[in-house]
Amino acid sequence: MTDHIQEHERGEVADFDAFFSENSEPRFGAVLRLYKREYVLPTSLPLLFTLQMERVKDSDDPDDIRRLLASLFGPRALDEWAEHGMTDRQLGIVLVWAAANSREPGCLSMPEAAAAYDEKEREEGKAQPRPTPATIRAASGKPS
């Protein structure tokens, strides 16, 4: 703490606001269409998405899925997707594709995302509980 105060008194401040402003990335990248709506992905994953992804992988709480999707696709995504009958596999494929293409647009096709999702499922032996259409609907607050 003393070093921090001494640095501040000397006028040496690590100004990340200025650094990030000077080194900013484009904010929007790949676009995906799902259920006749377009979603524009950021060029890097929001911190909240990354943190929620870690939580969701071990969670069976539908509200965790809601928060995860809201951080990347907006607050109504879960409701809209559940209303269209999205399956757990479809959700997994969208998340794999979006995570990869946020970082590097065009780096992963939809069939490649599906194959990656299916491979991960095979490796895990489906031991982890996965969101189902019913849990997605439940998280959205919509009746079945």
Side-chain angles (χ1 to χ4, degrees):
M1 183 78 171
T2 320
D3 290 338
H4 172 70
I5 293 170
Q6 288 174 350
E7 286 181 9
H8 181 65
E9 289 171 356
R10 291 193 309 247
E12 296 175 22
V13 176
D15 189 348
F16 277 92
D17 290 336
F19 176 77
F20 290 148
S21 176
E22 293 169 4
N23 296 286
S24 67
E25 305 170 344
R27 302 258 328 163
F28 302 103
V31 179
L32 69 99
R33 181 177 300 120
L34 185 58
Y35 303 118
K36 298 182 182 178
R37 179 161 183 215
E38 290 188 354
Y39 298 89
V40 180
L41 298 175
T43 54
S44 60
L45 294 174
L47 179 59
L48 185 57
F49 181 85
T50 305
L51 295 173
Q52 286 295 332
M53 194 69 153
E54 284 300 310
R55 182 175 181 187
V56 167
K57 77 177 182 183
D58 296 323
S59 173
D60 50 354
D61 183 352
D63 286 334
D64 288 339
I65 299 165
R66 175 188 291 284
R67 285 186 291 274
L68 172 76
L69 294 176
S71 67
L72 192 59
F73 299 103
R76 291 266 316 132
L78 182 64
D79 297 332
E80 292 170 6
W81 298 355
E83 288 168 6
H84 285 91
M86 179 178 264
T87 67
D88 62 332
R89 181 174 182 267
Q90 290 170 333
L91 175 61
I93 293 167
V94 168
L95 291 177
V96 167
W97 185 92
N101 283 284
S102 284
R103 293 183 186 111
E104 187 180 336
C107 73
L108 188 71
S109 69
M110 288 179 278
E112 290 169 332
Y117 176 81
D118 292 342
E119 179 62 28
K120 184 174 187 221
E121 287 292 294
R122 277 191 295 281
E123 287 174 5
E124 293 178 359
K126 293 199 176 219
Q128 298 285 334
R130 296 287 178 221
T132 64
T135 59
I136 292 171
R137 277 191 294 282
S140 73
K142 301 287 182 189
S144 298

